[in-house]
Amino acid sequence: MSGITGAALVAGIVGRPVTHSLSPVLHNAWIAAAGLNAAYVPFAPTAGGFAALAEGLRGGVIRGVNVTIPFKEDALACADQASERARLAGAANLLLFRHDGTIFADNTDGLGLLAALAIQAPGFDPGAGPAVILGAGGAARGAAAALVLAGAPDVRIVNRTADRAVALAADVGGTVRAVGAEGALKGANVIVNATSLGLNGGPGPEADLSAAPDAAVVMDMVYKPLRTELIARARARGLRTVDGLEMLIRQAVPSFEAFFGVAPPANVDVRALALKTIGKSA
Ligand code: ATR
């Protein structure tokens, strides 16, 4: 970041904690490779401090921010305008501070999910069959919204707490419905783990992969470790798998474009960089 002058474009990420976020690593690697006069920095407001931070940035003090746990709902709430995908997800991971003083909210997590599927499971068509989402928290909401918008004919939500699955289905609407675990994977086109199960090498979500079709794709949003228990089981079953690190990288691409007006340079191996960073923090 040695080329920063007073004319630099600034963007960042807001989270709490934000210390282990990979986003500064990805964005600053792209900034350096593109030779931009720009910087991407972390912000960790107090638990109730998100709105004050966002209000203070109105008018384009900085270009925008990505938003992570636990502020994604706050981010949507403070915006003047929001994309359809952010409204459907009920959360925003991207805020843009317009020069006219307004705040625009978007959600690129769903784009990241779909791009990761396209890259790691070539030929995957979200419209070709039922999607099964394990979990009913914020991550599941974003995945459900993305899959509905991508034309999934049946989006099944399976969750330990059934009421949350029912609420998610009612809020997102479209083809989303809450189902029990029994028989949920029958005919599935894609199975997405949107729970926190599998993190740090723990057991993954219960899912009877033998009930899934041979052509089903299994995607795990958990990427620490990269090979989660669910991914390992899916591979042992001969299913194609997609990892959460690719989703994280792919949600960053449209964010970078929105902040800096150019596509990230293709010649940076941000995946290797992210893996190195995860390895260091593990
Ligand atoms: P996020 O916003 O990241 O999705 P969240 O809202 O806390 O986080 O949601 C976590 C998800 O993981 C939920 O679907 C949760 O299930 P419940 O709604 O029943 O709590 C799921 N989850 C977490 N720990 C779990 C466990 N031990 N067994 C089953 N599901 C679990």
Side-chain angles (χ1 to χ4, degrees):
M1 287 197 274
S2 58
I4 293 178
T5 73
L9 298 178
V10 179
I13 176 150
V14 188
R16 186 178 176 85
V18 79
T19 325
H20 293 293
S21 171
L22 287 172
S23 294
V25 176
L26 303 179
H27 284 273
N28 286 310
W30 283 328
I31 285 169
L36 297 180
N37 184 11
Y40 184 99
V41 292
F43 300 101
T46 56
F50 183 86
L53 175 68
E55 287 303 316
L57 296 173
R58 277 188 191 269
V61 174
I62 67 173
R63 301 282 293 171
V65 287
N66 286 121
V67 182
T68 188
I69 291 168
F71 298 124
K72 290 186 183 186
E73 287 83 9
D74 292 345
L76 182 65
C78 80
D80 303 291
Q81 293 129 27
S83 65
E84 186 188 12
R85 55 190 180 229
R87 286 198 307 271
L88 261 190
N93 76 326
L94 173 63
L95 289 183
L96 297 174
F97 302 106
R98 307 284 201 211
H99 288 299
D100 66 3
T102 59
I103 301 177
F104 178 75
D106 202 352
N107 193 319
T108 66
D109 286 336
L111 296 178
L113 175 77
L114 295 170
L117 283 160
I119 290 166
Q120 293 191 342
F124 173 78
D125 173 8
V132 179
I133 298 174
L134 309 173
R141 226 164 247 266
L147 288 162
V148 169
L149 290 175
D154 180 15
V155 179
R156 306 168 183 164
I157 310 297
V158 181
N159 196 47
R160 174 180 60 180
T161 310
D163 287 357
R164 287 188 87 194
V166 172
L168 189 162
D171 290 348
V172 180
T175 51
V176 185
R177 62 194 177 104
V179 303
E182 182 84 36
L185 269 51
K186 194 157 179 275
N189 183 35
V190 61
I191 299 141
V192 179
N193 176 32
T195 74
S196 44
L197 293 169
L199 192 64
N200 298 325
E206 279 173 33
D208 179 14
L209 296 179
S210 66
D214 292 347
V217 174
V218 174
M219 198 273 164
D220 200 335
M221 290 197 193
V222 173
Y223 59 84
K224 281 185 203 175
L226 207 52
R227 181 187 271 253
T228 59
E229 193 246 2
L230 180 68
I231 294 272
R233 276 203 291 133
R235 292 207 183 141
R237 156 82 180 81
L239 303 177
R240 292 199 291 170
T241 62
V242 176
D243 64 60
L245 182 58
E246 199 61 37
M247 174 173 165
L248 181 86
I249 293 167
R250 295 301 141 198
Q251 65 76 31
V253 171
S255 298
F256 187 92
E257 288 169 352
F259 296 142
F260 305 118
V262 293
N267 62 347
V268 191
D269 190 352
V270 283
R271 194 176 159 87
L273 203 58
L275 281 172
K276 213 169 111 191
T277 309
I278 296 172
K280 270 189 210 150
S281 72

